[in-house]
Amino acid sequence: MNNPFIFYNQEAFTALIVRFLFNLIITGIIIWFFYYKKTQRRDYLFTFFMVSNTIFLMIFLLDSIKIQVGFALGLFAIFGILRYRTDTLPVREMTYLFAIIGISVINALSNHKVTIIELVTTNFIFIILFWILEMTRIIRHTACKLIIYEKIDLIKPEKQEEMLLDLRARTGLNIERFEIGQVDFLKDTAYVKIYYNGNGKINTADNIEKASEHLTDF
């Protein structure tokens, strides 16, 4: 009776280690140098690395036991549209998550029909695209923050320019525009979402999305 379990296969093990390290380097460059250096978000840093490695190992091992590629891509689609129940995943983070899942799936599913040059080129295309979009000024990034503003006498339409100058002076940010949300006349405060040039480090507050849910005017 043949043993269904193989203790060691040098060729398969070498392929696993080499591909895993290659995928880790590519996704690590994108996650660390393009995302983390701009946002300083350690929570998503953990998520991106773990999702990338988990997807790669799962897809690689499923493919090695001849599970249909369609099933593996179905798993990719499920994770690609993942929305965490505790927090709403921002569009920027969802894009990074989708990209690193896609890269991990490509690296895991590539077989003998895909040459090393094609695989390496595909991965470097991702890196080049992220570099162009994140590190150059071809696309200007606009960041936003939610603040509580107490000078509600300036929220009148005729004083919008004065309010913009006041916001710029008090925040030190190059604010391009702002939106006024709920106004509390009992406390003389208003919720204001400011939009400013974010080509530097983008330090988005963790609770912007949560707070915005309560501001129906936004």
Side-chain angles (χ1 to χ4, degrees):
M1 183 176 179
N2 294 329
N3 187 355
F5 298 101
I6 300 175
F7 181 73
Y8 178 72
N9 185 316
Q10 183 176 357
E11 182 180 353
F13 181 74
T14 302
L16 170 63
I17 297 301
V18 171
R19 290 196 184 193
F20 177 79
L21 292 177
F22 177 73
N23 182 72
L24 183 63
I25 291 172
I26 296 298
T27 55
I29 291 174
I30 292 174
I31 297 170
W32 183 265
F33 290 100
F34 296 139
Y35 177 77
Y36 182 71
K37 290 295 184 180
K38 271 185 170 291
T39 64
Q40 302 294 316
R41 296 288 295 270
R42 290 184 178 274
D43 48 350
Y44 287 117
L45 186 70
F46 169 83
T47 300
F48 292 156
F49 271 115
M50 289 306 301
V51 168
S52 174
N53 294 330
T54 302
I55 287 292
F56 174 85
L57 293 173
M58 181 173 62
I59 297 296
F60 186 89
L61 294 177
L62 286 176
D63 185 58
S64 67
I65 59 176
K66 309 304 179 184
I67 296 294
Q68 293 182 354
V69 174
F71 175 72
L73 291 176
L75 292 174
F76 159 66
I78 292 174
F79 281 97
I81 61 175
L82 179 66
R83 302 289 289 184
Y84 294 135
R85 295 178 64 88
T86 54
D87 292 309
T88 300
L89 201 61
V91 175
R92 182 188 183 86
E93 279 68 22
M94 177 62 76
T95 303
Y96 269 93
L97 180 61
F98 185 81
I100 64 173
I101 289 176
I103 293 171
S104 300
V105 171
I106 291 171
N107 292 332
L109 287 178
S110 59
N111 51 35
H112 63 279
K113 295 182 181 179
V114 180
T115 64
I116 298 297
I117 295 298
E118 289 175 318
L119 183 62
V120 172
T121 301
T122 300
N123 280 268
F124 273 96
I125 286 175
F126 277 104
I127 292 179
I128 292 171
L129 287 175
F130 273 102
W131 178 79
I132 291 175
L133 297 175
E134 288 283 23
M135 307 304 292
T136 67
R137 296 185 179 272
I138 295 178
I139 295 180
R140 186 176 62 176
H141 296 287
T142 301
C144 68
K145 286 184 181 293
L146 186 65
I147 65 173
I148 299 177
Y149 192 69
E150 83 286 359
K151 294 184 177 181
I152 59 173
D153 57 308
L154 297 181
I155 67 174
K156 299 176 181 178
E158 62 271 17
K159 294 187 176 182
Q160 296 290 290
E161 188 63 31
E162 184 180 348
M163 181 175 174
L164 179 61
L165 294 175
D166 183 62
L167 288 171
R168 287 175 178 173
R170 299 176 69 180
T171 62
L173 299 173
N174 184 22
I175 301 174
E176 299 174 348
R177 61 188 178 90
F178 61 89
E179 296 176 1
I180 300 174
Q182 290 185 353
V183 179
D184 189 339
F185 288 104
L186 294 177
K187 297 181 180 179
D188 286 339
T189 57
Y191 287 96
V192 179
K193 183 179 288 186
I194 59 175
Y195 297 86
Y196 59 95
N197 187 348
N199 278 324
K201 288 187 177 181
I202 300 174
N203 235 337
T204 307
D206 290 339
N207 63 344
I208 284 181
E209 292 81 15
K210 289 182 180 179
S212 297
E213 292 176 0
H214 301 289
L215 305 179
T216 55
D217 293 340
F218 286 140

